[in-house]
Amino acid sequence: MKTNPIKRIFAALAAGAVFAAAFTSCEKWLEEESFDFTQPDDIEDSDAGATQWLIGTYSKLGDNLFNSNTFPMVWIYDEDYLTGPDWAFGNIGAGNFQNNGYINGMWEGLYNLIHRCNYAAYEVGRMQHVDDRLRTAIYGEMKFLKAWSYFQLVRAFGPVPLRKESISETGDRNVPRSSVGEVYAYIIELLEDAQTECYKNTDKDFVQGRVSAGTAAGLLAKVYATIASGAMPEGTRIWVRGGKPWSGEGTDKAYTDPQKIEYRKQRLAGYEEFDPQTYWELAYKKAGQVMSGEYGAYELVPYDRLWKRSERYNGEYMWNYDGFASDKRYCEYFSYHICGIENSSGLIADGMWYGGRDHWYKMVESKDLRVAEGIRHRWQRTWDLTFAQYYPNTQEWNRKVENKEPPFDDGLSYACPQFDTYYLAYPTKYADRTDRTVQEGDSFWPLLRYADVVLIYAEAYAEAVGTTDGKALAALNDVRNRSGATPRELGGQGGIGDLVDFRSSVLEERAIEFLCEGDRRWDLIRWGIYVDVMNAIGGNDEIGIYKGRQQKHTLFPIPSSEMDANASITENNPGWN
């Protein structure tokens, strides 16, 4: 190297530079100085050199996954409560998964990240002058990144190849698929190591924005809960609010209220070997350890702080993808798609395509801040200069418009069109960006939130221990209280009755809390009700997105590129070629 970029990256980190800026700068220096990550002699044998290998590994999250639009879009197109125009939802939204660029990109991007972790760990292991505690923490973070990647893969594709060493080391491209049980065993092994090897977020050497011990423990709780729910017996009962989006035809066509529909679980293939009660117990105990502070300091922050960009490293967020403004390699585009970009007058100039369906909105109390403030109720697009739109078409909001209550007192005409792409519950979660006029944003996407851990505790404790002592209910209500929702009660008129009621209420709370965060599809699949819930919509949703599904849709097809290159994989997932 002509100069030593390592010193510069650590000067930036020491000055408190954020994670996204750190790895973006690293990649820029590599380009400036013709630096090649594949040449180990180019990286000095030092603490700084070891950390540079780690940051180069993190960079693959942006370079291969989020910047390519693969994530988070592949997570949100296929679910019951989200919708948007058919040209945007495309093949995934319609259930056409074969040879899909997003799905192929998910497979390839995650395996690229796994490869980089394996190779970087190998190179760090060869170094002689690295502090032992730092080396351990670096290993822990790389183990977490591999575990996270395999968790996405096993949920999406079922049995997948386990590549425990990089292809650069083994030279072996042909690796057979491991069973679901084998993949989860490896994920658990990696996370058990990572939760002790990584720094806690309270340690003096912890770098803000990176994976912590709490991140690993929180994900481990989620893995346990996924296994437990996936292994629940065939026929387990659970209800979901949904059904057909409208009644009548023509001028008599009207939106319906979501109906409480009970489903019977279909057991997931590959989960038969697991004992659900064992994993429910592991899940609630691990979530409880995170909540008690054993792995660091976390909290449910007040709602008015929750989605501010300045708060993206507070105690709620256990791990984020953090976009880097106007940098085409490490920016993010999801905020443009979900929240839109604006002109200098604040009008929506482009984007803002995806939103919650009418049934989703109607599940939530109007006073709940997740709809009162978390949903856009008024907007104006640049091509509609004399009138604006509002949502929803209810007595409450119609009265505000008719009475010209703020913000409807600006002299504009207002319309609430129905049965088209403008009639959506547009979330505001990702609207806080440095520059709202450009597509290349710097919003953040929560990959793991503390609220997720709290709801995992509520769900798992109820299944493992029961609901009568109030601990599971208290955890559920902690999340509801934060947004001003009416607390749930056990028994009585309108209260939670039996365990079926409780598990269904937690699933519903997750749907409300994590709208547009990429969890809903996986929640439906792990409970074995995905196909039935989607089909209960009756074909198309309110604005014409086809939601009909078959059993084959519970797994994505393995990309043809992998089938062609890996001779050890001879069959695709059932129903796909």
Side-chain angles (χ1 to χ4, degrees), residues 491-568:
Q493 184 69 28
I496 294 174
D498 56 10
L499 182 57
V500 173
D501 242 4
F502 194 90
R503 71 167 64 106
S504 304
S505 296
V506 173
L507 185 65
E508 181 171 279
E509 198 65 32
R510 293 182 60 83
I512 296 169
E513 181 69 23
F514 303 124
L515 175 71
C516 240
E517 294 185 47
D519 265 321
R520 179 63 176 176
R521 168 184 162 87
W522 313 116
D523 277 348
L524 294 177
I525 287 175
R526 70 186 175 90
W527 274 108
I529 57 174
Y530 158 81
V531 173
D532 290 338
V533 168
M534 296 291 279
N535 287 337
I537 295 170
N540 295 338
D541 67 17
E542 293 92 334
I543 63 170
I545 298 299
Y546 182 68
K547 297 290 190 180
R549 295 296 185 265
Q550 302 171 35
Q551 194 60 33
K552 71 175 184 177
H553 290 103
T554 58
L555 293 177
F556 290 155
I558 297 173
S560 58
S561 58
E562 180 71 16
M563 299 284 293
D564 293 341
N566 187 346
S568 295

Side-chain angles (χ1 to χ4, degrees), residues 7-28:
K7 292 180 180 178
R8 278 178 280 169
I9 195 168
F10 279 96
L13 289 172
V18 299
F19 158 61
F23 72 62
T24 301
S25 300
C26 179
E27 291 289 340
K28 286 180 178 177

Side-chain angles (χ1 to χ4, degrees), residues 138-400:
I138 288 172
Y139 284 156
E141 290 179 66
M142 291 178 182
K143 288 175 182 178
F144 174 88
L145 291 173
K146 289 203 296 181
W148 178 82
S149 298
Y150 279 119
F151 186 45
Q152 312 316 312
L153 287 164
V154 75
R155 292 192 301 178
F157 299 95
V160 295
L162 285 177
R163 299 186 180 277
K164 298 184 179 182
E165 297 175 290
S166 73
I167 297 175
S168 302
E169 295 173 67
T170 65
D172 188 4
R173 184 68 182 82
N174 300 312
V175 178
R177 299 169 77 181
S178 295
S179 70
V180 167
E182 290 168 333
V183 177
Y184 273 118
Y186 187 49
I187 292 170
I188 291 168
E189 174 189 328
L190 292 169
L191 291 175
E192 286 178 339
D193 287 349
Q195 69 184 356
T196 60
E197 293 176 353
C198 291
Y199 293 119
K200 296 179 183 180
N201 66 355
T202 50
D203 290 344
K204 64 180 180 61
D205 292 321
F206 173 70
V207 178
Q208 202 172 52
R210 297 230 300 262
V211 167
S212 68
T215 317
L219 184 62
L220 184 54
K222 191 166 186 170
V223 167
Y224 287 148
T226 300
I227 293 171
S229 50
M232 288 290 277
E234 190 90 8
T236 298
R237 296 161 54 214
I238 189 168
W239 54 255
V240 172
R241 296 185 200 274
K244 294 183 178 180
W246 63 76
S247 62
E249 296 293 337
T251 57
D252 294 328
K253 197 173 183 179
Y255 282 122
T256 62
D257 290 329
Q259 303 300 305
K260 185 187 290 187
I261 303 173
E262 185 173 292
Y263 299 94
R264 298 296 179 113
K265 175 183 170 57
Q266 299 180 43
R267 197 166 195 177
L268 287 182
Y271 290 74
E272 302 88 351
E273 66 183 80
F274 299 110
D275 172 46
Q277 287 306 112
T278 297
Y279 285 90
W280 283 129
E281 185 172 343
L282 287 169
Y284 93 75
K285 287 183 176 178
K286 184 57 61 180
Q289 289 173 338
V290 175
M291 293 162 66
S292 69
E294 184 171 331
Y295 293 99
Y298 301 97
E299 63 175 333
L300 293 170
V301 303
Y303 191 86
D304 61 1
R305 293 171 47 200
L306 186 56
W307 295 106
K308 291 182 178 179
R309 188 173 180 277
S310 60
E311 294 281 348
R312 65 194 182 280
Y313 298 131
N314 63 34
E316 173 87 21
Y317 295 105
M318 306 181 78
W319 190 39
N320 301 327
Y321 176 77
D322 189 9
F324 194 63
S326 300
D327 186 298
K328 290 186 181 297
R329 192 167 187 182
Y330 294 114
C331 65
E332 53 76 20
Y333 291 103
F334 54 81
S335 61
Y336 152 64
H337 290 296
I338 295 169
C339 299
I341 57 176
E342 302 172 0
N343 67 7
S344 58
S345 300
L347 277 64
I348 301 298
D350 198 2
M352 200 177 82
W353 309 123
Y354 311 128
R357 291 181 49 231
D358 197 48
H359 274 185
W360 177 87
Y361 189 92
K362 288 175 176 174
M363 288 195 306
V364 192
E365 297 171 287
S366 62
K367 70 173 185 176
D368 191 323
L369 295 176
R370 293 171 293 190
V371 297
E373 297 181 9
I375 295 299
R376 193 187 294 262
H377 292 285
R378 176 213 179 275
W379 65 92
Q380 186 179 11
R381 297 185 185 264
T382 52
W383 55 87
D384 297 328
L385 298 180
T386 60
F387 73 93
Q389 286 85 34
Y390 71 96
Y391 179 91
N393 184 17
T394 62
Q395 288 186 352
E396 176 187 4
W397 286 92
N398 291 340
R399 184 173 60 252
K400 290 177 185 288

Side-chain angles (χ1 to χ4, degrees), residues 360-519:
W360 177 87
Y361 189 92
K362 288 175 176 174
M363 288 195 306
V364 192
E365 297 171 287
S366 62
K367 70 173 185 176
D368 191 323
L369 295 176
R370 293 171 293 190
V371 297
E373 297 181 9
I375 295 299
R376 193 187 294 262
H377 292 285
R378 176 213 179 275
W379 65 92
Q380 186 179 11
R381 297 185 185 264
T382 52
W383 55 87
D384 297 328
L385 298 180
T386 60
F387 73 93
Q389 286 85 34
Y390 71 96
Y391 179 91
N393 184 17
T394 62
Q395 288 186 352
E396 176 187 4
W397 286 92
N398 291 340
R399 184 173 60 252
K400 290 177 185 288
V401 172
E402 292 167 4
N403 295 339
K404 301 187 185 311
E405 298 177 22
F408 305 110
D409 56 349
D410 53 8
L412 292 173
S413 298
Y414 283 89
C416 188
Q418 298 191 45
F419 305 108
D420 65 22
T421 56
Y422 291 112
Y423 191 77
L424 304 178
Y426 293 117
T428 60
K429 292 180 175 181
Y430 309 116
D432 189 6
R433 293 162 289 176
T434 301
D435 186 348
R436 297 188 183 187
T437 67
V438 297
Q439 292 185 17
E440 299 84 4
D442 61 352
S443 189
F444 63 96
W445 183 278
L447 294 167
L448 184 64
R449 277 210 277 142
Y450 181 63
D452 199 349
V453 174
V454 174
L455 289 177
I456 287 167
Y457 177 88
E459 178 181 349
Y461 190 93
E463 299 288 346
V465 181
T467 61
T468 56
D469 65 8
K471 290 184 178 180
L473 182 67
L476 172 61
N477 281 333
D478 281 345
V479 175
R480 291 183 61 78
N481 291 337
R482 188 252 300 275
S483 62
T486 301
R488 301 287 193 199
E489 297 180 352
L490 296 178
Q493 184 69 28
I496 294 174
D498 56 10
L499 182 57
V500 173
D501 242 4
F502 194 90
R503 71 167 64 106
S504 304
S505 296
V506 173
L507 185 65
E508 181 171 279
E509 198 65 32
R510 293 182 60 83
I512 296 169
E513 181 69 23
F514 303 124
L515 175 71
C516 240
E517 294 185 47
D519 265 321

